[in-house]
Amino acid sequence: MKLISWVLTFMLMSLCLPAFAVHTDENTKQYSSEPLLIVMGEDTYPFEYLDEHGNAAGILVDMWREWSTVTNTKIRFVARDWQSSLTQLEQKHADVHIGMSETTDRLSVFDFAQPLTTINAYLYIHKSINSKKSINDLIPYQIGIVSGSSHEAMLKELEPRLSFKHYKNREQLLQAASNGDLFVFAGIEGYQRNVALEQDIAANFYSSSRLLIKKIGLSPAVNKGNQALIDKINQGFELISPKVVKQIERRWLGYHKQTSGVVIAMQNGVEPFADVGIDGLPAGMLVDLWKLWSKKTGINIDFVTGDMNSTIDDVKTGVADVHIGYPESKDMRSGLKQAWHIISVKSRFFSHKQNIENIEQSTMRIGVFPTAPYIAQVKSVFPNAQLRFYDTLEQMVKAVHNDEIIGFVSSAAMTSHYLLANKLWAEFHQYTDIEFNTDMYTLTRINDSGLADRIKAGFNLISVEEQIQIERKWLINPDDRFFTGSASKIKLTTQQKQYISSLGAIKMGYLKNWAPMEFQGKNGQFLGVNADIKNLLVKQLNLTIIPVAYDDFGKMVNDLIKGEIHLVASMAQTASRENALTFSSAYWPSPWAIVTSLTQPPIFNISQVVGKRLAVVDGYHIVDQLRQQYPGIELVIVADTKEGINTVINGRADMFVEQVATLAATLKGGQYPSLKLSLVAELTEQHSRIGLFPGVKELVPLIDRVIATIDENEQQNMYQKWVALDLNSDSLRYQRWLTILIVGFLILAFIALAILMSNRRLNIEIEKRLKAEDNLKFMANHDNVTGLPNRSLLDDRLEQAVLTHQRDKQRFALLFIDLDGFKAVNDLYGHHLGDKLLHRVSGVLSKVVRESDTVARFGGDEFVLLLNNIDSKGSARQVADNILLALKKPIIIDGFSVNISASIGIAVFADDADTALAMLKTADQLMYQAKKIGGHQFKMN
């Protein structure tokens, strides 16, 4: 009986004990109740790695934990570097490897279960050799790989002649690539945990240039002969539902691996931020930002559209993975996770047909969006107003027309586009001094932390310059821009930061008396346009720059060549200087002008200078240019601008040549009333660059990135700050002087003669000032590359054309032209030839129009033709046909045969639009239609 009782007790105890992992030792074949020991890699993020707390984490780890639950089996993870993880299993110090790819060598040692997930293996190629498009092209390069990874075996199967450089782990491999030790390395898809390192890699190894090695499965592995454990593993994973697997992958990758990528919900009708174009495809600033995100990450994206509310529901219900951009604040939440602050939008107040005075005290009804985060601010600005809520801008405009509200608050950029598109711009007044900022966030579901991390990582790869470029494309008004006006610094790689740090303080030479480009202030400070450029370099690159003042330009250039100083701004890039220096991109137009006495006839071209004595500052590149091209000119070399002007005054030279901005600032002072300024056509195509000592040439691409952030608005601000003439101050000074002399006339009669002379002097001075201002206005209103009217002058003429043709009930046409293939020419032959091509194309365009028409350079490779008083649309078609026919002929530039064509959009007033901006927008849209269907043609309604 005692025996039976003991047996029953033992059985009951056994039933109460928890289930342990049951596996067999390969040698003893005895069962054990120890946890299943799973060895894993320690840095294969996001599949298997150790997190910041030293805990096992990743997709495979979560899948195995789910397997542990459904099989009621204890497990324990042990992490090693990749090679050690294989050795650990092979030496039977572990039961299972968490997951690896199958190779011929591994199959001889291990047995594999069914794959748990798949992964793409790639070759990442440095941007300097991204022309390599096949694995065979990479034979001359050592390929970086992690020791023990399957990449080596896979690559040898594809090309046995490849050579390899081995690294202990993934972190060391990526660090070597970041440091420039590798031009090619093998790696998996996805992003890294180290954000700074990831940015370094992305800056030099583009996802768009990577080569797919193979799509591989990650399978658990055991030592040979343990089929029972293989069966147990497979059976356990079959019990896990596909829904759970999908959730695990979404948690880590941000999307399910079996789908095409990330689905983005976007609202319609919020142009220029997001809308569906005429072609039915998503378009807008946010769309372009997401497309660039896709390019940077290598993850495909797709869009689903709807209104504001339905797109939020699409994310919540799983129809979409992310919302493109939603206005969230502390008071207005959607219930979703803010994954990324993608942009801030400026909203302003628009009233109907009137400029309301004393707006803060006015009692009126104002429309706002119910989702707007600035409602409290609107109430504060308009304390006596009644707010009414509308879901769309269209509803608010309709409410204005129905006298329900007097105006509304809405996005300035979006409202401008809407009013222009619907020919309502003239009806509304925008209050630029009443502004509200709205932060827009990309949103994901709360539990999609992996997607949120991936979104953040992807947008961190987009540079400030790229953001600014997209913004300039969509937001015409600089006041509406976010990235351009933000204080964001350009993103530097760790290697670039280390290089800048290693430089220490660098010296920048400048001239003491060369206003407005650069000069020394009363207290010895560095001032002028170039001082502003220097400050921008310091702010954006964290450089330490010490200004060094010079009296002589030639000595400054010599010191730059010797390395005594490192930077000099406002230098021309010439063939002779390229042998000793390196140069940045152009950042400032620097045309030349000639100063003569008032008695000399005006100078229109350089041939008028031949046989004359021309003073020029020593060291200027124009000295060599004049000697080579115009040997008949007698050059008088002077030390600086002041001496050059004095040579003309005292008769040592007939003329003095200097940059327009410097001469304008010098003449502004009024101390040279006997001199006048002339612009010479042959000397207008000049641009300022920064010259660098070759020892710091690695700064050039960084400086170019800073220069790229300077938009037309900032250039204009610098222009107004340092260059603009002030006629009133000079005139008033002379008027006061004249008044004093008149009073003196009452006392002494002989001062009458002095009064007459001063009057004459005053008139001469004012005339001189007006001429100088006209010259500066020409610079401000004309493109310095082509000499054509620029965007500013085009806007004026377009507004005038609208008024004139509206009054006379006549038609005019606007042709928006974008060159096809210009970027390829620029990339192949360089910007110098590209500028010459633009100049030649401007000549072609000018020949196909009448004198009464306008040919303008809109920007980049875009031109606009304004055809006044046309009889019919056929006239515009004929001009477009003539342009396309003329561009069919190859253009020979510097011995190169260049082929170029154009995509043209044609808008006709008032058939297509009845305002200036609407005409531009319509022609621009039609041009894009022509380009999207292949280019080399025109489109019109």
Side-chain angles (χ1 to χ4, degrees):
M1 291 295 293
K2 288 183 178 180
L3 178 61
I4 294 173
S5 176
W6 182 85
V7 170
L8 289 173
T9 301
F10 176 77
M11 292 175 64
L12 288 170
M13 290 176 63
S14 299
L15 291 173
C16 294
L17 289 173
F20 289 98
V22 178
H23 60 279
T24 60
D25 184 276
E26 187 67 21
N27 296 322
T28 64
K29 302 293 185 182
Q30 297 296 314
Y31 286 94
S32 168
S33 58
E34 292 293 321
L36 194 70
L37 190 61
I38 303 175
V39 69
M40 55 178 276
E42 62 185 4
D43 68 345
T44 310
Y45 183 84
F47 293 90
E48 47 186 292
Y49 74 102
L50 292 179
D51 64 17
E52 59 272 18
H53 303 295
N55 298 322
I59 295 173
L60 297 182
V61 172
D62 281 2
M63 286 186 175
W64 271 100
R65 284 175 175 150
E66 192 67 29
W67 180 91
S68 173
T69 300
V70 299
T71 61
N72 198 24
T73 303
K74 279 189 172 182
I75 59 175
R76 184 161 66 91
F77 297 104
V78 176
R80 300 285 186 270
D81 65 70
W82 187 255
Q83 182 61 61
S84 297
S85 73
L86 303 181
T87 305
Q88 184 96 350
L89 179 63
E90 188 175 359
Q91 294 179 353
K92 302 178 183 178
H93 298 313
D95 301 305
V96 186
H97 193 287
I98 193 170
M100 64 172 110
S101 60
E102 297 182 11
T103 66
T104 303
D105 291 341
R106 291 175 183 174
L107 284 169
S108 65
V109 181
F110 307 124
D111 285 331
F112 288 85
Q114 294 299 315
L116 305 185
T117 187
T118 60
I119 187 172
N120 288 337
Y122 294 97
L123 282 175
Y124 290 85
I125 301 172
H126 194 273
K127 63 184 179 182
S128 63
I129 58 168
N130 62 10
S131 59
K132 311 299 182 184
K133 300 301 181 184
S134 71
I135 292 178
N136 292 340
D137 294 335
L138 303 176
I139 293 173
Y141 303 92
Q142 273 194 315
I143 298 175
I145 60 170
V146 174
S147 295
S149 70
S150 61
H151 297 141
E152 184 170 1
M154 289 186 292
L155 288 167
K156 282 183 176 178
E157 287 181 7
L158 296 172
E159 176 50 72
R161 293 174 292 176
L162 293 174
S163 58
F164 302 93
K165 191 172 184 179
H166 298 83
Y167 294 86
K168 182 178 180 180
N169 53 47
R170 193 182 189 193
E171 184 82 7
Q172 290 182 5
L173 169 67
L174 296 175
Q175 195 63 61
S178 173
N179 294 338
D181 298 334
L182 292 173
F183 285 94
V184 188
F185 69 90
I188 59 174
E189 61 183 322
Y191 61 99
Q192 322 309 327
R193 297 170 63 200
N194 184 329
V195 174
L197 184 56
E198 180 196 3
Q199 291 174 350
D200 291 359
I201 296 295
N204 294 301
F205 295 84
Y206 303 149
S207 293
S208 56
S209 301
R210 65 188 181 184
L211 299 178
L212 178 66
I213 302 173
K214 190 178 182 181
K215 184 174 185 176
I216 55 179
L218 297 181
S219 305
V222 302
N223 280 299
K224 273 290 186 182
N226 198 347
Q227 187 60 42
L229 185 51
I230 288 291
D231 292 341
K232 181 178 177 64
I233 292 170
N234 286 333
Q235 290 165 9
F237 280 111
E238 287 174 2
L239 296 175
I240 302 174
S241 71
K243 182 179 180 180
V244 172
V245 174
K246 181 177 180 180
Q247 289 174 344
I248 292 173
E249 289 184 339
R250 283 189 61 86
R251 186 182 307 138
W252 288 100
L253 297 175
Y255 61 96
H256 182 39
K257 288 184 65 63
Q258 304 309 316
T259 63
S260 59
V262 173
V263 179
I264 302 170
M266 59 166 272
Q267 61 269 38
N268 290 326
V270 288
E271 191 180 5
F273 301 106
D275 201 1
V276 175
I278 299 174
D279 54 6
L281 298 176
M285 179 178 168
L286 295 180
V287 174
D288 280 1
L289 285 171
W290 272 101
K291 286 180 178 177
L292 185 55
W293 179 91
S294 175
K295 182 179 179 181
K296 295 284 186 179
T297 61
I299 299 172
N300 294 328
I301 58 173
D302 200 1
F303 296 91
V304 294
T305 59
D307 58 32
M308 184 70 81
N309 294 326
S310 68
T311 51
I312 289 293
D313 290 337
D314 284 342
V315 179
K316 290 180 177 179
T317 58
V319 174
D321 302 305
V322 59
H323 193 282
I324 193 169
Y326 187 80
E328 279 215 327
S329 66
K330 292 180 180 178
D331 302 323
M332 191 71 64
R333 298 301 300 268
S334 63
L336 296 171
K337 180 182 180 65
Q338 294 179 359
W340 182 253
H341 176 203
I342 191 166
I343 192 177
S344 289
V345 176
K346 296 178 180 179
S347 296
R348 301 192 183 97
F349 177 60
F350 291 80
S351 68
H352 188 227
K353 291 186 177 178
Q354 57 181 311
N355 184 3
I356 304 171
E357 296 182 1
N358 300 320
I359 196 167
E360 293 83 0
Q361 284 75 42
S362 298
T363 301
M364 54 188 175
R365 295 185 297 273
I366 295 175
V368 294
F369 293 113
T371 56
Y374 47 74
I375 292 176
Q377 293 174 268
V378 173
K379 291 179 179 178
S380 175
V381 174
F382 306 102
N384 300 319
Q386 299 176 18
L387 301 188
R388 294 198 174 183
F389 298 99
Y390 301 89
D391 291 328
T392 66
L393 181 58
E394 182 181 5
Q395 290 175 3
M396 286 200 283
V397 172
K398 185 177 180 180
V400 168
H401 287 147
N402 292 338
D403 293 327
E404 297 174 15
I405 54 178
I406 197 170
F408 53 83
V409 177
S410 176
S411 158
M414 182 179 74
T415 304
S416 299
H417 275 73
Y418 179 87
L419 296 178
L420 289 168
N422 291 277
K423 302 179 181 179
L424 299 171
W425 180 257
E427 295 184 19
F428 288 85
H429 177 75
Q430 179 181 186
Y431 294 74
T432 55
D433 56 335
I434 301 176
E435 189 172 281
F436 309 94
N437 283 324
T438 301
D439 293 332
M440 305 288 289
Y441 295 91
T442 61
L443 305 177
T444 63
R445 290 180 289 278
I446 295 295
N447 59 350
D448 275 351
S449 57
L451 178 55
D453 290 342
R454 174 145 300 196
I455 289 170
K456 180 179 179 180
F459 278 112
N460 273 324
L461 300 180
I462 300 176
S463 70
V464 173
E465 309 94 279
E466 290 170 323
Q467 292 169 335
I468 289 174
Q469 186 177 9
I470 291 175
E471 186 174 57
R472 288 177 185 170
K473 172 184 174 183
W474 291 103
L475 303 187
I476 298 174
N477 185 358
D479 292 336
D480 295 339
R481 295 171 183 168
F482 167 65
F483 297 118
T484 304
S486 69
S488 300
K489 289 186 177 181
I490 64 174
K491 296 174 182 175
L492 302 177
T493 67
T494 302
Q495 188 177 1
Q496 289 167 340
K497 291 177 182 177
Q498 291 172 346
Y499 172 69
I500 289 174
S501 178
S502 70
L503 290 176
I506 60 175
K507 297 178 181 179
M508 181 174 184
Y510 73 96
L511 292 176
K512 292 180 181 178
N513 190 24
W514 200 49
M517 295 308 295
E518 54 189 38
F519 59 97
Q520 193 171 57
K522 293 180 180 179
N523 298 320
Q525 68 271 42
F526 178 21
L527 299 175
V529 170
N530 291 333
D532 285 353
I533 299 298
K534 185 269 291 183
N535 294 336
L536 199 57
L537 295 177
V538 170
K539 174 185 174 183
Q540 289 284 5
L541 301 179
N542 203 28
L543 279 169
T544 301
I545 300 179
I546 301 174
V548 179
Y550 283 83
D551 294 306
D552 181 82
F553 183 81
K555 184 179 186 313
M556 182 170 66
V557 173
N558 288 333
D559 281 358
L560 179 64
I561 293 172
K562 292 187 294 184
E564 299 291 334
I565 56 176
H566 306 92
L567 306 176
V568 169
S570 291
M571 290 192 70
Q573 185 174 0
T574 65
S576 59
R577 287 179 179 171
E578 284 176 345
N579 295 328
L581 301 171
T582 185
F583 291 88
S584 73
S585 299
Y587 68 91
W588 195 266
S590 302
W592 298 83
I594 288 180
V595 166
T596 62
S597 65
L598 287 172
T599 58
Q600 291 280 350
I603 304 297
F604 298 107
N605 55 68
I606 202 71
S607 62
Q608 294 177 261
V609 186
V610 175
K612 305 285 186 179
R613 296 168 301 166
L614 179 65
V616 59
V617 174
D618 186 24
Y620 281 6
H621 79 281
I622 201 171
V623 173
D624 292 335
Q625 180 183 345
L626 292 171
R627 282 173 174 164
Q628 293 171 9
Q629 298 180 11
Y630 307 99
I633 298 175
E634 181 183 344
L635 297 182
V636 179
I637 305 301
V638 296
D640 53 30
T641 303
K642 184 177 181 180
E643 184 182 343
I645 289 177
N646 287 332
T647 59
V648 178
I649 293 175
N650 60 33
R652 287 181 50 222
D654 302 304
M655 307 168 185
F656 171 55
V657 61
E658 179 59 279
Q659 290 190 3
V660 171
T662 302
L663 288 175
T666 303
L667 296 178
K668 178 182 177 181
Q671 66 268 41
Y672 302 111
S674 62
L675 300 180
K676 66 181 179 182
L677 178 149
S678 301
L679 284 173
V680 181
E682 292 96 328
L683 303 179
T684 57
E685 292 187 22
Q686 305 287 337
H687 294 82
S688 288
R689 301 172 187 268
I690 296 176
L692 295 92
F693 174 62
V696 294
K697 65 180 180 181
E698 291 181 48
L699 279 177
V700 171
L702 302 180
I703 291 175
D704 286 347
R705 289 176 63 186
V706 175
I707 290 172
T709 66
I710 304 173
D711 69 351
E712 67 279 5
N713 195 44
E714 190 165 359
Q715 285 180 329
Q716 184 65 24
N717 290 337
M718 290 182 187
Y719 181 87
Q720 291 173 347
K721 178 180 178 182
W722 298 111
V723 181
L725 287 175
D726 184 357
L727 291 176
N728 292 331
S729 61
D730 288 336
S731 300
L732 289 173
R733 183 172 66 251
Y734 278 91
Q735 292 288 359
R736 286 194 295 269
W737 181 40
L738 183 60
T739 302
I740 294 171
L741 291 178
I742 291 174
V743 173
F745 173 77
L746 298 175
I747 302 172
L748 298 172
F750 70 85
I751 296 185
L753 179 60
I755 294 173
L756 293 174
M757 293 180 63
S758 66
N759 254 320
R760 178 176 178 275
R761 193 171 187 178
L762 172 62
N763 291 332
I764 292 172
E765 177 65 15
I766 291 176
E767 182 181 356
K768 174 173 67 66
R769 292 292 178 274
L770 290 173
K771 286 183 178 181
E773 187 179 53
D774 287 342
N775 290 330
L776 288 175
K777 284 182 178 178
F778 181 87
M779 292 171 54
N781 292 320
H782 289 76
D783 174 54
N784 50 58
V785 174
T786 63
L788 296 175
N790 61 13
R791 174 71 187 277
S792 176
L793 185 54
L794 172 67
D795 288 343
D796 290 342
R797 292 187 179 178
L798 187 52
E799 291 285 356
Q800 188 61 42
V802 169
L803 293 174
T804 303
H805 291 79
Q806 202 168 40
R807 182 191 63 213
D808 299 337
K809 299 188 183 302
Q810 294 178 330
R811 290 177 171 180
F812 73 87
L814 203 67
L815 277 65
F816 202 107
I817 303 169
D818 184 270
L819 299 183
D820 300 325
F822 178 76
K823 184 179 184 301
V825 172
N826 242 0
D827 293 344
L828 184 60
Y829 300 110
H831 291 282
H832 178 68
L833 190 138
D835 286 349
K836 289 186 176 181
L837 176 60
L838 291 174
H839 190 271
R840 294 285 289 277
V841 169
S842 70
V844 171
L845 298 178
S846 299
K847 288 180 180 179
V848 300
V849 299
R850 302 161 297 182
E851 289 187 7
S852 60
D853 300 327
T854 295
V855 180
R857 185 183 177 195
F858 195 75
D861 59 346
E862 295 176 334
F863 296 84
V864 172
L865 269 62
L866 173 59
L867 308 180
N868 288 300
N869 192 18
I870 61 170
D871 297 328
S872 65
K873 290 186 175 182
S875 301
R877 290 194 196 97
Q878 185 60 55
V879 172
D881 280 329
N882 291 341
I883 292 171
L884 295 173
L885 183 63
L887 292 178
K888 277 187 176 180
K889 302 174 183 177
I891 299 175
I892 308 300
I893 303 176
D894 293 345
F896 297 103
S897 178
V898 179
N899 292 298
I900 201 79
S901 186
S903 299
I904 306 174
I906 306 174
V908 177
F909 180 88
D911 299 348
D912 299 321
D914 60 0
T915 66
L917 285 177
M919 285 286 289
L920 267 175
K921 179 180 178 182
T922 302
D924 184 30
Q925 290 174 339
L926 290 167
M927 179 275 290
Y928 273 108
Q929 290 181 37
K931 185 168 284 290
K932 284 182 178 179
I933 57 177
H936 314 290
Q937 59 190 295
F938 66 84
K939 291 284 290 185
M940 67 187 304
N941 292 327

